[in-house]
Every structure is written in C-alpha cells, then in structure tokens.
Amino acid sequence: WKLLGFSVKPCGVYEAWNSAVAAMRRRARTCEAPRAELDMMVLSFSCREDSAFAAMGKNSKEMKWSVAAMGTQPLEIKLNVDKSPGYDAEVGITCDGKKLWPPSAGERSALKDDFEQKWPFRGEVKNLDAEDYFEVRPKAMGDQWFLAQKLVQRKDGLFEASVGLPDGSGGTRQVTLPAVEKKDIRQEKTKLPLDIPERCVVLSVPKADPVYETTLRLADDMDDDLITHYFARP
C-alpha cells in the first residue's frame, strides 16, 4: 500500500486482539538474588475450592503461592477461577497485589489463549571477587582473551571488567569494559564458560481447564519441576 501512496493503520479490533494475545505471554524483570546458590523456596501455599455446585458444573477456586529465592522478597501469586455451565471460565491473576489478568477493567475475564507468566531469578557468580580468576574476550579484538583483574556483576546480567590490554608499545594498560556479555567471559585456568545460576518461576494457566490444570513450576536449563517440590521447612 505504501508503494501506491497509501498508508493503512490497523483497526481498533486488530489492535485490541494483538494486545490481548501479547498479554498471554508475560515475563517479569529478573530478580537478583545476593547468593551464589540460587535456592528457591515455597513459603506458603493454599487452595480453596467451592464444590457446593460441582455436580451442576459450577466451580469456584482460589490458589495462593508465596515463593522466594534466599535473600529476596517473596512473590505473592494469586489465582481466582469461576466456571459456570455453558460458559468459559473467568480468570483473575495477581502478583504482589498487581493485576496480571485480565488486562482490561474488572477482576476476572475469560482467557483468549493459554496464559503464561515467567519470573526470572539470577544468582551471583561464584569466585567473582577472586583476582585474576577470569579472562575476557573484548568484542573489538576478535577471539583474543585477556586476564581480568576484576569483574563486577551488573543488575542486567552484563559485567563490568577491568582488563589489561596491549598498549601498542610492548606493555599493557588497564581498561574498563563497561558491558561484557556472559559468553565473552570464562575461567582463566580451566577455560570453562562463565556459570550464572538462573531459574524461572513459571505460572501456566491453560484456557481449556484453568480450574484443574493450572501449574506453578520452577524451570532452568536442566529441570522443570512443580513448585510444590520446594516447600521450605518451618
């Protein structure tokens, strides 16, 4: 249309649909845990179901989780589902009192697709304070690696590195690289890549059956377990 000299704007219905679909897949900002071991805990869980009219196909359910990594504030996740015969289930989801679903006004509404919310957690790198323990590959210098005298882990997952680089006259000069990616850092002796402990709390609410098939899981590169495997000891 632009080639013909016309410009077409999306209609309101399309924009509303696109916004609703985007709301089905959500990801919170990464929570930084001040520990090298990223220990996750379920501090509390409750499930209340009104089954008085279950034989008639009407269900009302409320689920609450309190989940945290050691050293972080807990996530307070709450799910409410109301299902009446002949109608789609109406769902309401909040975290720390803030509404995640529905995106519009009201406490509950039917899902337009399967809903998924992720809360990423990231721990601290081990031996980060050890001098000359890591080496860094500056982007402007190809595949050359240089010893890092100091590494600082940033909140966004990048690193600030203090590195000795060639000064052009046979010596070295200390340079601070402000934003080094994980893939450009490795252990100096073993050449093993940098290991950052990362896990995700994942809430999955299926459109087909949010009453009985909703799950809260803990996922990383190796495992994907139900969060109920991580109850904290009183």
Side-chain angles (χ1 to χ4, degrees):
W1 288 107
K2 289 184 177 180
L3 292 175
L4 298 176
F6 296 97
S7 62
V8 179
K9 294 184 178 180
C11 68
V13 174
Y14 174 81
E15 289 178 333
W17 178 85
N18 196 43
S19 175
V21 170
M24 297 288 98
R25 300 287 184 272
R26 302 169 60 100
R27 184 182 179 92
R29 294 182 63 181
T30 299
C31 179
E32 301 287 335
R35 295 167 56 93
E37 288 77 26
L38 194 53
D39 298 320
M40 304 295 299
M41 303 175 297
V42 178
L43 304 177
S44 66
F45 170 71
S46 66
C47 179
R48 182 172 60 85
E49 185 171 1
D50 184 359
S51 57
F53 299 98
M56 301 170 59
K58 181 176 176 58
N59 296 94
S60 180
K61 192 171 188 177
E62 178 186 88
M63 302 175 75
K64 294 180 181 179
W65 300 266
S66 180
V67 183
M70 289 287 288
T72 68
Q73 290 295 317
L75 296 171
E76 304 293 343
I77 304 167
K78 179 180 177 182
L79 169 79
N80 287 97
V81 184
D82 284 331
K83 177 71 171 72
S84 298
Y87 295 91
D88 290 334
E90 294 197 337
V91 177
I93 305 169
T94 64
C95 180
D96 298 333
K98 297 179 180 179
K99 187 169 65 171
L100 302 180
W101 182 266
S104 56
E107 295 184 356
R108 288 179 291 275
S109 72
L111 296 174
K112 301 182 184 303
D113 200 349
D114 295 342
F115 178 94
E116 182 179 88
Q117 167 78 37
K118 293 183 178 181
W119 292 272
F121 287 81
R122 182 189 299 123
E124 289 186 345
V125 174
K126 291 183 179 180
N127 301 308
L128 195 62
D129 296 330
E131 190 172 343
D132 299 339
Y133 188 85
F134 297 99
E135 57 184 7
V136 171
R137 177 176 55 187
K139 284 191 176 299
M141 303 189 71
D143 199 33
Q144 298 183 73
W145 293 82
F146 299 91
L147 197 62
Q149 279 71 48
K150 184 179 180 182
L151 276 182
V152 177
Q153 187 171 350
R154 300 183 357 176
K155 295 290 186 182
D156 57 4
L158 299 176
F159 293 81
E160 181 181 297
S162 179
V163 184
L165 298 180
D167 62 3
S169 59
T172 61
R173 58 188 177 91
Q174 208 67 20
V175 175
T176 298
L177 305 176
V180 182
E181 296 182 42
K182 169 185 173 180
K183 63 183 179 65
D184 293 319
I185 304 174
R186 68 186 184 187
Q187 295 182 24
E188 191 275 329
K189 289 184 178 179
T190 65
K191 310 304 180 188
L192 290 174
L194 189 68
D195 181 31
I196 306 178
E198 294 177 301
R199 308 180 98 174
C200 251
V201 174
V202 184
L203 175 67
S204 298
V205 186
K207 180 180 184 298
D209 190 359
V211 177
Y212 295 112
E213 296 298 326
T214 292
T215 60
L216 190 67
R217 312 186 316 278
L218 186 61
D220 56 28
D221 291 338
M222 302 294 292
D223 299 302
D224 190 337
D225 297 324
L226 291 175
I227 202 74
T228 47
H229 295 175
Y230 297 86
F231 276 105
R233 294 181 180 179

